[in-house]
Amino acid sequence: MNHANAMPDIAEDEAPSDQLAEIAMPFRTPAGVLFAEVMQDGHSEIWPINGDKFAELIQRLQRKETGQIFPKKDLTRFIDTLKAEAQFGDVVEDVHLRVARAADRIYIDLCDPDWRVIEIDATGWRILEHSPIRFRRTAGMLPLPDPVPSGSLDALWDFLRIDDPGERLLVIAHLLGTLAGVQPFPLLYLFGSQGTAKTTATEILGSLVDPRVSGVRSMPKSERDLFLAAQHGHLLTFDNVSTITHSMSDALCRLATGATFATRKNYSDADEVYLSACNPIICNGIGHSFVRPDLADRTITVTLSKVPDDERQPHAAVMRAFEAARPSLLGALCAALSTGLGRQNSIAQSTPLPRMADFALWGIACEPAYAKEEGAFLSAYQRNIRQINEATIDEDPLAPRICEILARRDIWEGTATRLDETLRGTSSLPVPQDWPRSARLLSDHLRRIAPALSRIGISLRFDRRGHGRERIIRLCREEL
């Protein structure tokens, strides 16, 4: 392209809209984030207009076409014009990260240099050279391999030491929910002692659906950091999670279900920035960290078996073997997604669904592609929920003592203060450090564990009685 046809500077008396059409098509998302669709090397790319990376892209394209770069003032004016067109123009489009649902199709960004995508529908899957969906990319995203047909998901167990057949189904269902963007997302927790290759297992699952340079990370320290991480990756993977604070437990629940976090812009002014996210999560750890009832309700716990010493291999060798298997594993996942799309509207809801009902329905829809028997997935999921509930009860400071009281009687009634005294007296052991420090906090804690108690046949009710309208707690043992 010669100078007459190259990207021109934006002159004061020229019509910027004509020149913008040759260089980039600006638009905004429904949330007001500004983007531009840029044509490069025969394909389109989606870039956020704010930020140094976009300015570098424009300069690179200008230099490629003309051998020159924009002077700083012309570059600033050009980008400002793009921002104005995006902010005040009529084009409003959704932008997705790695995975998107559109009507009866699923799209997965391969994240390769040519910006190709996998398209999946009820008839199968294929690779598209030009994406009908606008995908954005963030620093550190790595490409997926081209999927290969006729692969088997059974090959995954060559790399993950999961012995329980039902838990294997849950892992595959979590991967399928991640790739299908089925919200809200359950959290997958890989539980195992030392020597079970927890980090490698988490890395393999993450690389299979959303590989990143950063790989497996430590748990963020704050809700703000968690929601920031969610802006840069679809699947979040966290390593060696030992303890979860109450505030982080609530944050993980919000992220799995979908929420918005508001924070001050740059910590320096009164403007707020809103971080909206809903992300699938995989964590690993040694202890039962996800026992707070509301988080436990959103968690799938899978137990990893110890790798025998005579079967242990160097990490690099394991990952080389996994890389060789990854295309066929991705192809098998795509085939399972196609099965789910073909069956999703014909699933008969014959049994009550658990709390993560959308995930459960999607697991049932895809089931013929990864389970040998009908109903195996839901049976495994319900069993897993019961096991997590038992762990929640065992690890709770109050619940075991409540069970002990109701083992001797059918009903207990009284005030929160009296219940506190009664629970303290049921054991000679000192009360745990996380024991509620006041009657109000004890009542709040009871409300949180009420669903877990209900699943083992203990009902909880708060009443007000007498002239003083005294609040009475009623615990009752019921038949399941």
Side-chain angles (χ1 to χ4, degrees), residues 178-334:
T178 297
L179 287 174
V182 176
Q183 300 177 9
F185 296 103
L187 186 149
L188 178 62
Y189 181 61
L190 304 180
F191 170 80
S193 60
Q194 293 181 350
T196 54
K198 296 184 296 298
T199 301
T200 300
T202 306
E203 181 182 358
I204 284 172
L205 292 176
S207 297
L208 190 53
V209 296
D210 189 23
R212 297 186 58 80
V213 169
S214 58
V216 185
R217 306 167 57 180
S218 60
M219 180 67 73
K221 299 297 184 182
S222 67
E223 182 177 6
R224 179 182 186 274
D225 291 341
L226 178 66
F227 272 76
L228 279 173
Q231 308 304 306
H232 297 280
H234 175 56
L235 173 65
L236 303 184
T237 54
F238 301 124
D239 192 28
N240 286 320
V241 179
S242 55
T243 59
I244 299 290
T245 64
H246 291 342
S247 61
M248 183 54 68
S249 177
D250 290 341
L252 289 170
C253 289
R254 284 161 44 79
L255 183 61
T257 304
T260 298
F261 178 80
T263 183
R264 283 185 300 152
K265 186 176 182 180
N266 298 326
Y267 285 99
S268 61
D269 53 43
D271 292 337
E272 281 192 323
V273 175
Y274 297 96
L275 306 176
S276 296
C278 184
N279 295 64
I281 304 167
I282 300 178
C283 300
N284 69 68
I286 293 176
H288 287 285
S289 302
F290 297 85
V291 293
R292 191 172 166 90
D294 47 358
L295 182 57
D297 279 351
R298 295 170 170 84
T299 300
I300 297 168
T301 297
V302 171
T303 302
L304 298 175
S305 301
K306 188 172 182 179
V307 181
D309 291 340
D310 59 350
E311 296 183 19
R312 195 172 297 279
Q313 300 181 50
H315 179 265
V318 173
M319 296 310 295
R320 280 197 301 270
F322 170 69
E323 285 300 316
R326 197 157 64 120
S328 60
L329 284 170
L330 183 58
L333 288 171
C334 290

Side-chain angles (χ1 to χ4, degrees), residues 2-3 31 118 154 206 210 244 336 373 389 401 427 436 444 455 477:
N2 57 33
H3 285 277
I118 305 170
D154 289 338
D210 189 23
I244 299 290
E373 297 179 0
N389 194 74
R401 302 189 184 211
S427 173
D444 290 344
R455 295 190 189 104
R477 182 158 52 88

Side-chain angles (χ1 to χ4, degrees), residues 85-97:
E85 288 284 335
Q87 186 169 3
F88 304 113
D90 297 329
V91 183
V92 180
E93 299 282 353
D94 285 316
V95 173
H96 303 273
L97 188 67

